[in-house]
Amino acid sequence: MVKQSTTMSSLTANDDCLGWAAKDASGVLSPYNFSRRAVGSDDVSIKITHCGVCYGDVVWTRNKHGDSMYPVVPGHEIAGIVKEVGSNVHHFKVGDHVGVGTYVNSCRDCEYCNDGLEVHCVRELVYTFNRVDVDGTITKGGYSSYIVVHERYCFKIPDKYPLASAAPLLCAGITVYAPMVRHKMNQPGKSLGVIGLGGLGHMAVKFGKAFGLNVTIFSTSLSKKQEALTLLGADRFVVSADQEQIEALAKSFDFIIDTASGVHSLDPYISLLKTAGVLVLVGFPSEAKFSPAILNLGMKTISGSVVGGTKVTQEMIDFCAAHKIYPNIEVIPIQYANEALERLIKKDVKYRFVIDIENSLK
Protein backbone atom coordinates (compact mmCIF):
# COMPACT_ATOMS: atom_id res chain seq x y z
CA MET A 1 0.00 0.00 0.00
CA VAL A 2 0.99 3.61 -0.58
CA LYS A 3 1.98 5.31 2.64
CA GLN A 4 0.01 8.26 3.96
CA SER A 5 1.31 11.23 5.93
CA THR A 6 0.63 10.66 9.60
CA THR A 7 -0.49 13.98 11.00
CA MET A 8 -2.51 16.83 9.56
CA SER A 9 -1.79 20.51 10.02
CA SER A 10 -4.36 22.95 11.32
CA LEU A 11 -5.31 23.76 7.73
CA THR A 12 -8.52 21.95 6.84
CA ALA A 13 -9.53 21.07 3.33
CA ASN A 14 -12.19 23.16 1.57
CA ASP A 15 -13.15 23.95 -2.02
CA ASP A 16 -10.55 26.70 -2.34
CA CYS A 17 -8.61 25.19 -5.22
CA LEU A 18 -9.57 26.61 -8.58
CA GLY A 19 -8.87 24.48 -11.63
CA TRP A 20 -9.98 23.69 -15.14
CA ALA A 21 -11.48 20.25 -15.64
CA ALA A 22 -12.96 18.02 -18.31
CA LYS A 23 -16.41 16.88 -17.17
CA ASP A 24 -16.88 14.15 -19.80
CA ALA A 25 -15.18 12.38 -22.73
CA SER A 26 -15.58 15.41 -24.98
CA GLY A 27 -12.47 16.57 -23.13
CA VAL A 28 -13.67 20.17 -23.09
CA LEU A 29 -12.13 21.99 -20.14
CA SER A 30 -13.97 24.56 -18.03
CA PRO A 31 -13.52 26.18 -14.58
CA TYR A 32 -13.97 23.85 -11.61
CA ASN A 33 -13.61 24.39 -7.86
CA PHE A 34 -12.46 21.53 -5.64
CA SER A 35 -10.62 20.77 -2.41
CA ARG A 36 -7.07 19.58 -1.88
CA ARG A 37 -6.13 17.46 1.10
CA ALA A 38 -4.94 19.25 4.22
CA VAL A 39 -1.16 19.60 4.47
CA GLY A 40 0.23 16.51 6.22
CA SER A 41 3.46 16.36 8.19
CA ASP A 42 5.47 15.27 5.13
CA ASP A 43 3.59 17.41 2.62
CA VAL A 44 4.45 20.51 0.64
CA SER A 45 1.72 22.89 -0.52
CA ILE A 46 2.69 24.55 -3.79
CA LYS A 47 1.24 27.64 -5.42
CA ILE A 48 1.30 26.63 -9.09
CA THR A 49 2.72 29.27 -11.41
CA HIS A 50 3.05 27.20 -14.61
CA CYS A 51 1.94 23.88 -16.05
CA GLY A 52 3.15 22.26 -19.27
CA VAL A 53 0.67 20.73 -21.73
CA CYS A 54 1.42 17.07 -22.49
CA TYR A 55 -0.29 14.55 -24.77
CA GLY A 56 -1.25 12.70 -21.58
CA ASP A 57 -3.64 15.58 -20.94
CA VAL A 58 -5.43 14.70 -24.19
CA VAL A 59 -5.46 10.97 -23.35
CA TRP A 60 -7.19 11.27 -19.98
CA THR A 61 -9.45 14.25 -20.61
CA ARG A 62 -10.86 12.37 -23.62
CA ASN A 63 -10.93 8.91 -22.00
CA LYS A 64 -8.65 7.37 -24.64
CA HIS A 65 -7.75 4.49 -22.28
CA GLY A 66 -11.28 3.99 -20.96
CA ASP A 67 -10.20 4.70 -17.36
CA SER A 68 -10.90 8.43 -16.95
CA MET A 69 -12.62 9.43 -13.70
CA TYR A 70 -14.48 12.68 -14.27
CA PRO A 71 -14.11 15.49 -13.56
CA VAL A 72 -10.48 15.25 -14.75
CA VAL A 73 -8.11 18.10 -13.89
CA PRO A 74 -5.09 17.35 -16.13
CA GLY A 75 -1.48 18.54 -15.98
CA HIS A 76 1.68 16.77 -14.81
CA GLU A 77 4.41 19.25 -15.70
CA ILE A 78 4.03 21.50 -12.69
CA ALA A 79 6.21 24.37 -11.52
CA GLY A 80 5.52 26.73 -8.64
CA ILE A 81 6.45 28.19 -5.29
CA VAL A 82 6.19 26.55 -1.87
CA LYS A 83 3.50 28.25 0.24
CA GLU A 84 3.38 25.86 3.21
CA VAL A 85 5.29 22.85 4.52
CA GLY A 86 4.40 20.09 6.98
CA SER A 87 6.17 19.77 10.33
CA ASN A 88 8.35 16.88 9.13
CA VAL A 89 9.49 18.44 5.80
CA HIS A 90 13.27 18.89 5.65
CA HIS A 91 14.15 19.53 2.01
CA PHE A 92 11.88 22.49 1.24
CA LYS A 93 10.92 25.79 2.83
CA VAL A 94 8.31 28.45 2.09
CA GLY A 95 9.34 30.46 -0.98
CA ASP A 96 11.36 27.67 -2.65
CA HIS A 97 10.85 27.09 -6.36
CA VAL A 98 9.67 23.51 -6.94
CA GLY A 99 8.44 21.15 -9.60
CA VAL A 100 6.10 18.15 -9.59
CA GLY A 101 6.10 15.59 -12.37
CA THR A 102 3.93 12.69 -13.47
CA TYR A 103 3.55 10.90 -10.13
CA VAL A 104 2.85 12.00 -6.55
CA ASN A 105 3.03 8.79 -4.52
CA SER A 106 4.39 5.23 -4.43
CA CYS A 107 4.84 2.46 -1.86
CA ARG A 108 8.28 3.79 -0.77
CA ASP A 109 9.20 0.25 0.23
CA CYS A 110 9.83 -1.90 -2.87
CA GLU A 111 13.26 -2.41 -4.46
CA TYR A 112 12.60 0.27 -7.09
CA CYS A 113 11.36 2.90 -4.63
CA ASN A 114 14.36 2.15 -2.43
CA ASP A 115 16.62 2.72 -5.43
CA GLY A 116 15.11 6.10 -6.34
CA LEU A 117 13.23 4.56 -9.28
CA GLU A 118 9.76 5.26 -7.89
CA VAL A 119 8.19 5.46 -11.34
CA HIS A 120 8.71 1.67 -11.54
CA CYS A 121 7.12 1.00 -8.12
CA VAL A 122 5.82 -2.57 -8.22
CA ARG A 123 3.01 -1.99 -5.76
CA GLU A 124 1.15 1.24 -6.29
CA LEU A 125 2.33 4.21 -8.29
CA VAL A 126 -0.05 7.16 -7.98
CA TYR A 127 -0.09 9.45 -11.01
CA THR A 128 -0.46 13.20 -10.58
CA PHE A 129 -3.97 13.16 -12.01
CA ASN A 130 -6.75 10.65 -12.63
CA ARG A 131 -5.57 8.10 -10.07
CA VAL A 132 -6.91 7.08 -6.67
CA ASP A 133 -4.69 8.55 -3.95
CA VAL A 134 -4.06 7.30 -0.41
CA ASP A 135 -7.10 9.03 1.03
CA GLY A 136 -9.44 7.58 -1.61
CA THR A 137 -9.74 10.84 -3.54
CA ILE A 138 -8.95 11.14 -7.24
CA THR A 139 -5.70 13.00 -7.91
CA LYS A 140 -6.07 16.28 -9.76
CA GLY A 141 -3.26 17.85 -11.74
CA GLY A 142 -1.60 21.14 -12.49
CA TYR A 143 -4.32 22.99 -14.38
CA SER A 144 -5.11 24.40 -10.94
CA SER A 145 -4.12 27.09 -8.45
CA TYR A 146 -2.21 24.90 -5.99
CA ILE A 147 -1.32 21.30 -5.15
CA VAL A 148 -0.37 19.36 -2.01
CA VAL A 149 2.34 16.72 -2.53
CA HIS A 150 4.56 14.56 -0.30
CA GLU A 151 8.02 16.15 -0.30
CA ARG A 152 9.64 13.05 -1.82
CA TYR A 153 7.89 13.72 -5.13
CA CYS A 154 8.81 17.42 -5.30
CA PHE A 155 11.91 18.72 -7.05
CA LYS A 156 14.02 21.76 -6.27
CA ILE A 157 14.20 24.22 -9.15
CA PRO A 158 17.18 26.61 -8.92
CA ASP A 159 15.99 30.17 -8.29
CA LYS A 160 17.55 31.53 -11.49
CA TYR A 161 15.91 28.91 -13.72
CA PRO A 162 12.62 30.30 -15.15
CA LEU A 163 9.58 28.44 -13.79
CA ALA A 164 7.86 28.52 -17.20
CA SER A 165 10.87 26.72 -18.71
CA ALA A 166 11.10 24.26 -15.82
CA ALA A 167 7.57 22.88 -16.27
CA PRO A 168 8.19 20.82 -19.47
CA LEU A 169 11.30 19.26 -17.93
CA LEU A 170 9.05 17.32 -15.54
CA CYS A 171 7.69 15.05 -18.30
CA ALA A 172 9.10 15.83 -21.76
CA GLY A 173 12.59 16.52 -20.44
CA ILE A 174 12.96 13.57 -18.08
CA THR A 175 11.36 11.15 -20.58
CA VAL A 176 14.39 11.53 -22.85
CA TYR A 177 17.05 12.36 -20.24
CA ALA A 178 16.47 9.21 -18.14
CA PRO A 179 17.16 6.66 -20.92
CA MET A 180 20.03 8.78 -22.26
CA VAL A 181 21.96 8.55 -19.00
CA ARG A 182 20.88 4.95 -18.35
CA HIS A 183 22.27 3.83 -21.72
CA LYS A 184 25.36 6.06 -21.34
CA MET A 185 24.46 8.35 -24.23
CA ASN A 186 26.40 11.09 -22.45
CA GLN A 187 29.74 10.16 -24.03
CA PRO A 188 31.16 13.05 -26.09
CA GLY A 189 31.87 12.22 -29.72
CA LYS A 190 29.26 9.47 -30.02
CA SER A 191 26.42 9.72 -32.54
CA LEU A 192 22.73 10.09 -31.70
CA GLY A 193 19.69 9.87 -33.95
CA VAL A 194 16.41 11.43 -32.81
CA ILE A 195 13.19 10.28 -34.49
CA GLY A 196 10.45 12.90 -34.35
CA LEU A 197 10.81 16.59 -33.53
CA GLY A 198 8.12 17.51 -31.00
CA GLY A 199 8.14 18.18 -27.28
CA LEU A 200 10.26 15.10 -26.51
CA GLY A 201 12.42 15.13 -29.64
CA HIS A 202 13.54 18.73 -29.31
CA MET A 203 14.67 18.04 -25.72
CA ALA A 204 16.61 14.95 -26.85
CA VAL A 205 18.45 17.18 -29.34
CA LYS A 206 19.29 19.73 -26.63
CA PHE A 207 20.56 17.06 -24.23
CA GLY A 208 22.50 15.35 -27.02
CA LYS A 209 24.32 18.55 -27.90
CA ALA A 210 25.03 19.29 -24.21
CA PHE A 211 26.50 15.78 -23.87
CA GLY A 212 28.80 16.46 -26.83
CA LEU A 213 27.09 14.08 -29.24
CA ASN A 214 26.79 14.36 -33.00
CA VAL A 215 23.00 14.70 -33.40
CA THR A 216 20.86 13.80 -36.43
CA ILE A 217 17.12 14.47 -36.54
CA PHE A 218 14.82 12.15 -38.49
CA SER A 219 11.51 13.79 -39.32
CA THR A 220 8.64 13.29 -41.76
CA SER A 221 8.39 17.05 -42.16
CA LEU A 222 10.96 18.87 -44.33
CA SER A 223 9.50 22.19 -43.10
CA LYS A 224 11.25 21.64 -39.75
CA LYS A 225 14.73 21.42 -41.28
CA GLN A 226 15.88 25.04 -40.99
CA GLU A 227 14.77 25.40 -37.40
CA ALA A 228 16.26 22.02 -36.42
CA LEU A 229 19.69 23.00 -37.70
CA THR A 230 19.81 26.66 -36.69
CA LEU A 231 17.61 27.06 -33.60
CA LEU A 232 18.13 23.62 -32.01
CA GLY A 233 21.68 23.14 -33.25
CA ALA A 234 21.32 19.65 -34.71
CA ASP A 235 24.22 18.51 -36.89
CA ARG A 236 22.10 16.87 -39.56
CA PHE A 237 18.46 16.66 -40.66
CA VAL A 238 17.11 13.66 -42.57
CA VAL A 239 13.62 13.26 -44.04
CA SER A 240 12.54 9.79 -42.89
CA ALA A 241 11.05 8.84 -46.25
CA ASP A 242 14.28 9.58 -48.15
CA GLN A 243 15.52 6.05 -48.76
CA GLU A 244 18.79 7.20 -50.28
CA GLN A 245 19.73 9.33 -47.28
CA ILE A 246 18.79 6.53 -44.87
CA GLU A 247 20.87 3.93 -46.71
CA ALA A 248 23.87 6.25 -46.79
CA LEU A 249 23.84 6.34 -42.99
CA ALA A 250 23.80 2.56 -42.42
CA LYS A 251 25.64 1.35 -39.30
CA SER A 252 26.72 4.85 -38.27
CA PHE A 253 24.79 5.53 -35.04
CA ASP A 254 25.64 4.57 -31.47
CA PHE A 255 22.20 5.50 -30.20
CA ILE A 256 18.73 6.35 -31.48
CA ILE A 257 15.84 7.80 -29.47
CA ASP A 258 12.45 7.18 -31.05
CA THR A 259 9.84 9.72 -29.89
CA ALA A 260 7.30 8.99 -32.66
CA SER A 261 3.91 7.68 -31.56
CA GLY A 262 2.51 6.72 -34.97
CA VAL A 263 2.99 3.10 -36.08
CA HIS A 264 6.19 2.82 -38.13
CA SER A 265 8.66 0.11 -39.03
CA LEU A 266 11.76 0.14 -36.85
CA ASP A 267 13.86 -1.80 -39.38
CA PRO A 268 15.16 1.24 -41.32
CA TYR A 269 16.33 2.80 -38.05
CA ILE A 270 17.78 -0.40 -36.55
CA SER A 271 19.84 -0.72 -39.75
CA LEU A 272 21.41 2.65 -38.89
CA LEU A 273 22.82 1.38 -35.58
CA LYS A 274 26.40 0.28 -35.22
CA THR A 275 27.11 -3.15 -33.76
CA ALA A 276 25.72 -3.23 -30.19
CA GLY A 277 23.87 0.04 -30.81
CA VAL A 278 20.78 0.94 -28.78
CA LEU A 279 17.37 2.19 -29.94
CA VAL A 280 15.12 3.50 -27.17
CA LEU A 281 11.36 3.83 -27.60
CA VAL A 282 9.83 6.67 -25.59
CA GLY A 283 6.73 7.17 -27.75
CA PHE A 284 3.68 4.91 -27.50
CA PRO A 285 2.80 3.53 -30.95
CA SER A 286 0.03 0.93 -30.85
CA GLU A 287 2.54 -1.67 -32.07
CA ALA A 288 6.27 -1.92 -32.80
CA LYS A 289 7.30 -3.61 -36.05
CA PHE A 290 10.79 -5.00 -36.63
CA SER A 291 12.57 -8.08 -37.98
CA PRO A 292 14.37 -10.12 -35.29
CA ALA A 293 17.22 -10.89 -37.71
CA ILE A 294 18.17 -7.23 -38.05
CA LEU A 295 18.47 -7.09 -34.25
CA ASN A 296 20.25 -10.40 -33.72
CA LEU A 297 22.89 -10.02 -36.41
CA GLY A 298 24.24 -6.75 -35.07
CA MET A 299 23.88 -7.54 -31.36
CA LYS A 300 21.56 -4.54 -31.19
CA THR A 301 19.18 -3.53 -28.42
CA ILE A 302 15.66 -2.12 -28.41
CA SER A 303 14.74 -0.65 -25.04
CA GLY A 304 11.64 1.04 -23.67
CA SER A 305 11.47 3.92 -21.22
CA VAL A 306 9.08 6.28 -19.45
CA VAL A 307 9.90 9.18 -17.13
CA GLY A 308 12.57 8.80 -14.44
CA GLY A 309 12.70 8.25 -10.70
CA THR A 310 13.17 11.10 -8.24
CA LYS A 311 16.96 10.84 -8.20
CA VAL A 312 17.53 11.20 -11.96
CA THR A 313 14.78 13.85 -12.26
CA GLN A 314 16.54 16.16 -9.81
CA GLU A 315 19.83 15.44 -11.58
CA MET A 316 18.27 16.48 -14.91
CA ILE A 317 16.88 19.75 -13.52
CA ASP A 318 20.29 20.62 -12.09
CA PHE A 319 21.95 19.67 -15.39
CA CYS A 320 19.60 21.98 -17.33
CA ALA A 321 20.30 24.85 -14.95
CA ALA A 322 24.08 24.31 -15.11
CA HIS A 323 24.15 24.05 -18.92
CA LYS A 324 21.46 26.68 -19.58
CA ILE A 325 19.20 24.21 -21.39
CA TYR A 326 15.68 25.58 -21.85
CA PRO A 327 12.73 23.96 -23.65
CA ASN A 328 11.28 25.97 -26.55
CA ILE A 329 7.89 26.98 -25.23
CA GLU A 330 4.73 28.87 -26.17
CA VAL A 331 3.27 30.40 -23.01
CA ILE A 332 -0.54 30.57 -22.99
CA PRO A 333 -3.33 31.62 -20.61
CA ILE A 334 -5.54 28.86 -19.13
CA GLN A 335 -8.44 30.22 -21.21
CA TYR A 336 -6.59 28.98 -24.31
CA ALA A 337 -6.16 25.40 -22.97
CA ASN A 338 -8.86 23.84 -25.18
CA GLU A 339 -7.36 25.34 -28.35
CA ALA A 340 -3.90 24.28 -27.19
CA LEU A 341 -5.00 20.64 -26.84
CA GLU A 342 -6.51 20.76 -30.35
CA ARG A 343 -3.27 22.20 -31.72
CA LEU A 344 -1.24 19.59 -29.83
CA ILE A 345 -3.23 16.83 -31.53
CA LYS A 346 -2.37 18.43 -34.89
CA LYS A 347 1.31 18.73 -33.81
CA ASP A 348 0.99 22.50 -34.23
CA VAL A 349 3.31 23.62 -31.42
CA LYS A 350 6.98 24.50 -31.17
CA TYR A 351 7.63 22.68 -29.00
CA ARG A 352 5.67 22.72 -25.75
CA PHE A 353 2.70 24.74 -24.54
CA VAL A 354 3.06 26.07 -21.00
CA ILE A 355 0.05 27.50 -19.19
CA ASP A 356 0.69 30.67 -17.21
CA ILE A 357 -1.43 29.59 -14.25
CA GLU A 358 -0.33 32.41 -11.96
CA ASN A 359 -1.45 35.25 -14.22
CA SER A 360 -4.48 33.75 -15.95
CA LEU A 361 -6.28 31.39 -13.54
CA LYS A 362 -8.68 33.67 -11.72
Side-chain angles (χ1 to χ4, degrees), residues 1-6 8 37-38 40 43 104-108 124-127 131-140 148-150 153:
M1 278 295 291
V2 177
K3 292 178 183 173
Q4 187 165 13
S5 297
T6 47
M8 293 293 177
R37 72 165 182 259
D43 286 337
V104 291
N105 225 329
S106 63
C107 80
R108 292 176 234 151
E124 203 166 359
L125 184 72
V126 178
Y127 291 136
R131 281 296 182 273
V132 180
D133 204 354
V134 293
D135 55 3
T137 60
I138 309 302
T139 55
K140 292 178 171 59
V148 178
V149 182
H150 186 288
Y153 310 95

Side-chain angles (χ1 to χ4, degrees), residues 196-207 232 326-328 351-352:
L197 190 56
L200 275 63
H202 97 288
M203 287 306 300
V205 174
K206 287 173 184 277
F207 288 134
L232 299 178
Y326 307 103
N328 292 37
Y351 285 88
R352 204 67 158 182

Side-chain angles (χ1 to χ4, degrees), residues 84-194:
E84 185 181 351
V85 295
S87 58
N88 203 31
V89 170
H90 302 298
H91 296 105
F92 300 95
K93 63 184 187 303
V94 172
D96 281 352
H97 290 189
V98 292
V100 176
T102 64
Y103 54 92
V104 291
N105 225 329
S106 63
C107 80
R108 292 176 234 151
D109 202 30
C110 68
E111 61 177 305
Y112 298 104
C113 284
N114 287 335
D115 209 16
L117 292 166
E118 297 87 346
V119 67
H120 302 293
C121 175
V122 294
R123 296 204 184 102
E124 203 166 359
L125 184 72
V126 178
Y127 291 136
T128 303
F129 69 93
N130 197 57
R131 281 296 182 273
V132 180
D133 204 354
V134 293
D135 55 3
T137 60
I138 309 302
T139 55
K140 292 178 171 59
Y143 291 28
S144 59
S145 54
Y146 77 99
I147 191 168
V148 178
V149 182
H150 186 288
E151 72 166 330
R152 177 166 178 160
Y153 310 95
C154 299
F155 305 100
K156 190 80 186 282
I157 297 168
D159 287 344
K160 290 182 178 173
Y161 196 91
L163 288 169
S165 301
L169 300 181
L170 279 308
C171 179
I174 190 59
T175 296
V176 292
Y177 183 90
M180 289 178 86
V181 294
R182 187 168 68 250
H183 293 286
K184 298 183 172 54
M185 298 186 192
N186 49 1
Q187 304 171 61
K190 299 269 187 175
S191 52
L192 170 71
V194 178

Side-chain angles (χ1 to χ4, degrees), residues 77 168 171-177 179-180 192-209 215-219 224 227-228 232-234 236-237 256-261 280 282-283 325-328 347 349-352:
E77 295 184 337
C171 179
I174 190 59
T175 296
V176 292
Y177 183 90
M180 289 178 86
L192 170 71
V194 178
I195 304 170
L197 190 56
L200 275 63
H202 97 288
M203 287 306 300
V205 174
K206 287 173 184 277
F207 288 134
K209 292 309 296 176
V215 180
T216 299
I217 294 171
F218 296 93
S219 175
K224 291 182 178 177
E227 200 160 285
L232 299 178
R236 194 193 282 125
F237 184 95
I256 294 176
I257 289 191
D258 187 350
T259 72
S261 281
V280 178
V282 292
I325 297 169
Y326 307 103
N328 292 37
K347 298 187 172 68
V349 55
K350 288 179 178 173
Y351 285 88
R352 204 67 158 182

Side-chain angles (χ1 to χ4, degrees), residues 177-291:
Y177 183 90
M180 289 178 86
V181 294
R182 187 168 68 250
H183 293 286
K184 298 183 172 54
M185 298 186 192
N186 49 1
Q187 304 171 61
K190 299 269 187 175
S191 52
L192 170 71
V194 178
I195 304 170
L197 190 56
L200 275 63
H202 97 288
M203 287 306 300
V205 174
K206 287 173 184 277
F207 288 134
K209 292 309 296 176
F211 289 144
L213 304 178
N214 188 290
V215 180
T216 299
I217 294 171
F218 296 93
S219 175
T220 52
S221 174
L222 183 61
S223 63
K224 291 182 178 177
K225 180 174 181 176
Q226 201 52 42
E227 200 160 285
L229 298 174
T230 54
L231 192 64
L232 299 178
D235 299 286
R236 194 193 282 125
F237 184 95
V238 174
V239 177
S240 314
D242 188 332
Q243 203 59 43
E244 207 172 297
Q245 267 192 298
I246 296 279
E247 284 172 9
L249 294 170
K251 298 181 181 176
S252 64
F253 288 88
D254 297 288
F255 316 108
I256 294 176
I257 289 191
D258 187 350
T259 72
S261 281
V263 175
H264 54 287
S265 172
L266 298 181
D267 285 358
Y269 300 109
I270 296 170
S271 73
L272 300 181
L273 289 172
K274 295 177 182 176
T275 298
V278 179
L279 184 148
V280 178
L281 290 174
V282 292
F284 282 84
S286 55
E287 61 177 325
K289 302 175 175 176
F290 66 92
S291 316

